[in-house]
Each structure stands twice: as C-alpha cells, then as structure tokens.
Amino acid sequence: MQTYPANAASTTTRGSALTTNKVLRNTYLLLGATLAFSALMAGVSMALNVPFMGLWMLLPYFGILFAIHKTQDSAWGIFWVFALTGFMGLTLGPILNAYLTFLPNGSQIIMTALGATAAVFLGLSAYAVKSERDFSFMGGFLMVGLIGAFVLGLVAFFFELSTLSLVVSGLFVLLSSGLILYQTSQIIHGGETNYILATVTLYVSIYNLFTSLLHLLGAASDD
C-alpha cells in the first residue's frame, strides 16, 4: 500500500525535472540563436553607419515587448523575439562604431567587454544550475532596482551628468548579473515555464551588461 504513493511521487518529480530541463534547453537554444542574429544585425548596422537612435529606441522596444507578452504562447512569440533582438542589434551598431572611431583602443575595449560579459553569464548560469539555490527572493529587489536605475539614467541623459551616468552603468552591471541568477533559478525551480519570456529576460540582461561594461571600460581608458 505504501509503494504506490512513493512511485507516484517519484513519477511526479521526474515529470517536473523533464519539464524544467525542456524549458532550460529551449531557452538556451533560442537565446543562442537570437544572440547570433543580434550580432549579425549589429554588423549590418555598423556597415551601413546607422545613426544612433538615443531615447527614440524606447518606443519600438516597448512596443515589441508588448507584442511578445501578447503572443508568448504561440509561434508569433518567437517571431517577435527575433524582431526585438534584431532591433537591439541595430541599435548596438552605432555604439560600437563610436568606440572604434573615437577611442584609439576601442577594439580592445569592445573585446574586453564582450569577454567579461560572456564570463559573467556563463559563470552565473553555471552556478545557478549546479548549486540549485532558489534566488526567487531577489525578484522584488531587482524590479525596484531596475526602475530606479532607469529613472536615474534618464536624469543623467537629460542633464548630461557624466558621473551619474557611470553610476547608472555600475548599477546595471549588478542588476543584470542578478537577473541572470534570478531567471535561471526561476527556470530550474519551475517559477518560469515559458522559454520565450525567459529568453527575452536573459537577452536583455546580457545586452545591458555588455553596454554597461563598455561604458565603464571606455570611461576608464586613457582617452
């Protein structure tokens, strides 16, 4: 009489683990594809000398995010994820061109920021997976921190406060790192079952981490 509940519990655990592994696998596959597509679009943007959009980029950015949330359970959701990451790649092109044009060690700064971003993402993801710790407690703090950093970023932009801008970049490095831990933990513990939304969160975290490191490394350069 005691073997049936035990077997049922074991089956449920295995089913939950399979679902988690599927979400994690699909998330990383889609994330890899979108990162490659974003890099391609950044290259196209650099070749065409696409102008810097500034804050105007926020309009299509939030519009596409809205479309992703509306279509997260359909194939259209994947289309909008590629639309978002491709658009973000286009916005990255002018930034990279500026570093290559105005800084004598611009290529070195870009490669350093890229390597550091990859190391942080892989390290934090591996830690979240291997340790199996639950980082869901960070959710509220990260949300408040992101809103605060965004507002401070707007203040720094409109009033041209370079020191505050560097502080904001530092905050985004910490917050983006926290989001990578949080989102990976959510997938592992079943808090996030939609790989489309998980991919978007991780991609945006990587994008913000990379651009923030670029800003900090550029400011620390001799020129």
Side-chain angles (χ1 to χ4, degrees), residues 7-23:
N7 290 336
S10 177
T11 301
T12 301
T13 301
R14 286 197 300 269
S16 177
L18 288 174
T19 300
T20 297
N21 290 335
K22 182 179 180 181
V23 174

Side-chain angles (χ1 to χ4, degrees), residues 18 35 53 82-83 85 87-88 96 113 119 130 132 147 164 174 187 191 198 207 212 218:
L18 288 174
L35 286 172
M53 294 184 63
F82 276 96
T85 55
F87 171 72
M88 298 300 285
L96 298 179
K130 293 297 183 181
E132 297 185 354
I147 294 174
L164 180 59
L174 295 176
I187 296 173
Y207 181 95
S212 297

Side-chain angles (χ1 to χ4, degrees), residues 171-187:
L171 287 175
F172 269 110
V173 168
L174 295 176
L175 291 168
S176 297
S177 300
L179 270 176
I180 292 170
L181 272 178
Y182 171 79
Q183 186 61 79
T184 307
S185 173
Q186 285 290 91
I187 296 173

Side-chain angles (χ1 to χ4, degrees), residues 149-174:
F150 180 74
V151 172
L152 288 176
L154 292 177
V155 173
F157 179 83
F158 284 114
F159 293 97
E160 299 182 353
L161 304 175
S162 58
T163 301
L164 180 59
S165 181
L166 289 173
V167 171
V168 171
S169 291
L171 287 175
F172 269 110
V173 168
L174 295 176

